[in-house]
Amino acid sequence: MLPSSPHPFLLTGLLALLPLAASAQTNAVPDRQVGTWLIGTVVLPGGPKHWGGYAEVQTRANGLGRQFFYTELKGGVSYDVAKNFTLMLAGGRYSTADYRDLSAGPLNVEGRLWQQLTLTQLTSRLKLEHRYRMEERWFRFRDDVVPAGQRRYRTRLRYRFNTLLPLNHPTFTDHTAFLTVYDEVFFNPRGPFFERNRLFAGLGYQFDKHLTVQAGWLNQANYTPASYRQNVFTPQTTVAKNNVALSVIYRLSRKISSTTPEFVPSQPD
């Protein structure tokens, strides 16, 4: 039988980093402008044969509903090993542009592949999610950023601790309002090690077994901005940006079996 939580030593070490991340963010230099994240996701739950998947489109703006500069297109295949244990293989295309000159094309385009393990602890009401991800990333830059035809490769490790609390029902069912809070830390194996922290708090509503919406505040702090021209990572003053995050999750119909996990409307990214 699979354990209900990750390896205790690994989990203890990772959770110990969260207060440090939060403390570092309070000392970060804030971006005075509030950004916008818009996320649309379609989820195929794991059925009787345990296979599922998802597809997602995401766009981000430097301002509140304006100055859009970033897009993501991604998808993946999942496998439910047990009710509280899911594996995923996924990939996507990530494009970053200068919002002041979108006609010039993207500054860089990233192709990404990742492997993911998600462990969910289901109490009588509170849902706890531990997500571990390893990413392989390939960058292609515009010719005036690096020499023409040049590409860059990097890896990254991520851990997210997510909590979801239904407010008007003990479990997630039709017409359920819920609170969700998560913190995610990003690590660069090449160093400097601690690269990014992402903190989110929001309110969601599950209309039925298909449609869920979420809205909240998202703070992202970057600790090691990349110098693309030199292809090096140099520690600089931490910069943190507040964002309004809006997401819509649509869950496709699927035959449910006794081994199908309880649906928890966690945002895939």
Side-chain angles (χ1 to χ4, degrees):
M1 178 178 294
L2 289 169
S4 59
S5 62
H7 192 286
F9 297 106
L10 178 59
L11 178 56
T12 300
L14 288 170
L15 291 179
L17 292 171
L18 300 186
L20 297 177
S23 175
Q25 274 188 272
T26 60
N27 297 322
V29 177
D31 185 328
R32 295 181 180 275
Q33 188 167 210
V34 177
T36 307
W37 290 30
L38 302 176
I39 308 167
T41 309
V42 176
V43 176
L44 178 65
K49 295 187 177 181
H50 309 282
W51 291 100
Y54 91 108
E56 183 175 291
V57 59
Q58 182 176 152
T59 184
R60 301 177 190 173
N62 187 56
L64 196 59
R66 61 190 180 89
Q67 300 177 352
F68 287 90
F69 69 96
Y70 179 85
T71 58
E72 296 182 0
L73 296 172
K74 54 196 177 184
V77 177
S78 64
Y79 185 79
D80 296 329
V81 179
K83 282 189 174 183
N84 67 332
F85 185 8
T86 300
L87 300 176
M88 175 176 283
L89 176 65
R93 179 185 185 274
Y94 302 70
S95 176
T96 303
D98 185 343
Y99 66 83
R100 296 164 296 188
D101 190 10
L102 296 178
S103 62
L107 294 171
N108 71 76
V109 175
E110 177 188 347
R112 188 182 302 176
L113 181 69
W114 68 89
Q115 302 79 44
Q116 181 173 294
L117 182 158
T118 303
L119 292 160
T120 307
Q121 295 173 281
L122 304 174
T123 67
S124 59
R125 199 175 190 100
L126 184 65
K127 318 301 176 184
L128 304 178
E129 179 190 74
H130 307 272
R131 193 183 74 181
Y132 305 84
R133 180 183 292 184
M134 179 174 180
E135 298 176 330
E136 297 81 40
R137 312 165 70 200
W138 294 266
F139 292 85
R140 185 179 73 252
F141 300 93
R142 207 165 67 188
D143 292 349
D144 61 346
V145 178
V146 296
Q150 292 293 308
R151 295 173 181 266
R152 297 291 185 264
Y153 171 77
R154 294 201 292 271
T155 58
R156 187 166 63 185
L157 304 174
R158 297 166 59 169
Y159 167 73
R160 187 178 78 178
F161 178 63
N162 192 8
T163 61
L164 299 100
L165 178 66
L167 298 177
N168 56 333
H169 297 287
T171 61
F172 286 97
T173 185
D174 294 355
H175 310 296
T176 300
F178 61 93
L179 294 174
T180 175
V181 178
Y182 73 72
D183 190 89
E184 185 170 19
V185 285
F186 296 66
F187 304 110
N188 173 15
R190 293 178 56 185
F193 188 57
F194 189 41
E195 181 177 293
R196 172 179 292 171
N197 191 77
R198 182 181 293 173
L199 180 64
F200 174 82
L203 180 67
Y205 188 81
Q206 183 169 307
F207 290 90
D208 52 33
K209 66 179 181 179
H210 298 296
L211 183 62
T212 302
V213 297
Q214 294 184 35
W217 163 83
L218 187 149
N219 180 276
Q220 181 161 282
N222 296 312
Y223 295 90
T224 56
S227 174
Y228 294 132
R229 295 183 186 278
Q230 288 79 36
N231 192 34
V232 296
F233 293 87
T234 304
Q236 299 179 17
T237 302
T238 302
V239 177
K241 187 174 182 65
N242 290 312
N243 302 272
V244 173
L246 306 173
S247 74
V248 177
I249 302 175
Y250 187 82
R251 185 179 181 227
L252 299 174
S253 296
R254 196 73 185 271
K255 182 179 179 181
I256 302 301
S257 71
S258 60
T259 58
T260 301
E262 177 186 339
F263 177 64
V264 177
S266 173
Q267 178 59 48
D269 191 45

PDB file of all heavy atoms in Angstrom, residues 26 60 149 156 177 220 243 263:
ATOM      1  N   THR A  26       9.226  38.997   1.621  1.00  0.00           N
ATOM      2  CA  THR A  26       8.888  40.235   2.303  1.00  0.00           C
ATOM      3  C   THR A  26       9.994  41.272   2.137  1.00  0.00           C
ATOM      4  O   THR A  26       9.738  42.471   2.266  1.00  0.00           O
ATOM      5  CB  THR A  26       8.650  39.979   3.802  1.00  0.00           C
ATOM      6  OG1 THR A  26       9.842  39.445   4.396  1.00  0.00           O
ATOM      7  CG2 THR A  26       7.503  39.007   4.011  1.00  0.00           C
ATOM      8  N   ARG A  60      -0.097  36.057 -19.860  1.00  0.00           N
ATOM      9  CA  ARG A  60       0.229  36.947 -18.752  1.00  0.00           C
ATOM     10  C   ARG A  60       0.461  38.361 -19.278  1.00  0.00           C
ATOM     11  O   ARG A  60       0.938  38.546 -20.405  1.00  0.00           O
ATOM     12  CB  ARG A  60       1.477  36.465 -18.006  1.00  0.00           C
ATOM     13  CG  ARG A  60       1.345  35.075 -17.438  1.00  0.00           C
ATOM     14  CD  ARG A  60       2.625  34.609 -16.763  1.00  0.00           C
ATOM     15  NE  ARG A  60       2.575  33.191 -16.418  1.00  0.00           N
ATOM     16  CZ  ARG A  60       3.595  32.496 -15.937  1.00  0.00           C
ATOM     17  NH1 ARG A  60       4.770  33.103 -15.739  1.00  0.00           N
ATOM     18  NH2 ARG A  60       3.449  31.214 -15.666  1.00  0.00           N
ATOM     19  N   GLY A 149      20.789  31.235 -34.440  1.00  0.00           N
ATOM     20  CA  GLY A 149      20.834  29.778 -34.425  1.00  0.00           C
ATOM     21  C   GLY A 149      21.243  29.165 -33.111  1.00  0.00           C
ATOM     22  O   GLY A 149      21.261  27.943 -32.970  1.00  0.00           O
ATOM     23  N   ARG A 156      15.374  22.316 -14.241  1.00  0.00           N
ATOM     24  CA  ARG A 156      14.853  22.993 -13.051  1.00  0.00           C
ATOM     25  C   ARG A 156      14.024  22.001 -12.233  1.00  0.00           C
ATOM     26  O   ARG A 156      13.370  21.111 -12.773  1.00  0.00           O
ATOM     27  CB  ARG A 156      13.988  24.193 -13.453  1.00  0.00           C
ATOM     28  CG  ARG A 156      13.542  25.046 -12.286  1.00  0.00           C
ATOM     29  CD  ARG A 156      12.982  26.375 -12.730  1.00  0.00           C
ATOM     30  NE  ARG A 156      11.784  26.237 -13.537  1.00  0.00           N
ATOM     31  CZ  ARG A 156      11.165  27.257 -14.133  1.00  0.00           C
ATOM     32  NH1 ARG A 156      11.677  28.485 -14.035  1.00  0.00           N
ATOM     33  NH2 ARG A 156      10.078  27.060 -14.845  1.00  0.00           N
ATOM     34  N   ALA A 177     -18.078  26.240  -2.832  1.00  0.00           N
ATOM     35  CA  ALA A 177     -17.109  27.331  -2.725  1.00  0.00           C
ATOM     36  C   ALA A 177     -15.929  26.835  -1.905  1.00  0.00           C
ATOM     37  O   ALA A 177     -16.091  26.041  -0.975  1.00  0.00           O
ATOM     38  CB  ALA A 177     -17.745  28.547  -2.063  1.00  0.00           C
ATOM     39  N   GLN A 220       4.920  36.514  -7.359  1.00  0.00           N
ATOM     40  CA  GLN A 220       6.059  35.746  -7.865  1.00  0.00           C
ATOM     41  C   GLN A 220       7.335  36.551  -7.675  1.00  0.00           C
ATOM     42  O   GLN A 220       7.438  37.685  -8.131  1.00  0.00           O
ATOM     43  CB  GLN A 220       5.867  35.398  -9.340  1.00  0.00           C
ATOM     44  CG  GLN A 220       7.014  34.584  -9.924  1.00  0.00           C
ATOM     45  CD  GLN A 220       6.620  33.878 -11.205  1.00  0.00           C
ATOM     46  OE1 GLN A 220       5.959  32.849 -11.182  1.00  0.00           O
ATOM     47  NE2 GLN A 220       7.041  34.418 -12.342  1.00  0.00           N
ATOM     48  N   ASN A 243       0.179  39.828  -8.854  1.00  0.00           N
ATOM     49  CA  ASN A 243      -0.662  39.592 -10.027  1.00  0.00           C
ATOM     50  C   ASN A 243      -2.070  39.198  -9.601  1.00  0.00           C
ATOM     51  O   ASN A 243      -2.258  38.573  -8.554  1.00  0.00           O
ATOM     52  CB  ASN A 243      -0.090  38.456 -10.884  1.00  0.00           C
ATOM     53  CG  ASN A 243       1.324  38.723 -11.352  1.00  0.00           C
ATOM     54  OD1 ASN A 243       1.560  39.331 -12.379  1.00  0.00           O
ATOM     55  ND2 ASN A 243       2.294  38.242 -10.570  1.00  0.00           N
ATOM     56  N   PHE A 263     -11.948  14.058  -6.980  1.00  0.00           N
ATOM     57  CA  PHE A 263     -11.539  15.210  -7.773  1.00  0.00           C
ATOM     58  C   PHE A 263     -11.259  16.405  -6.862  1.00  0.00           C
ATOM     59  O   PHE A 263     -12.090  16.820  -6.072  1.00  0.00           O
ATOM     60  CB  PHE A 263     -12.615  15.582  -8.787  1.00  0.00           C
ATOM     61  CG  PHE A 263     -12.282  16.808  -9.586  1.00  0.00           C
ATOM     62  CD1 PHE A 263     -11.186  16.815 -10.439  1.00  0.00           C
ATOM     63  CD2 PHE A 263     -13.026  17.974  -9.485  1.00  0.00           C
ATOM     64  CE1 PHE A 263     -10.853  17.932 -11.185  1.00  0.00           C
ATOM     65  CE2 PHE A 263     -12.705  19.098 -10.220  1.00  0.00           C
ATOM     66  CZ  PHE A 263     -11.618  19.081 -11.078  1.00  0.00           C
TER      67      PHE A 263
END
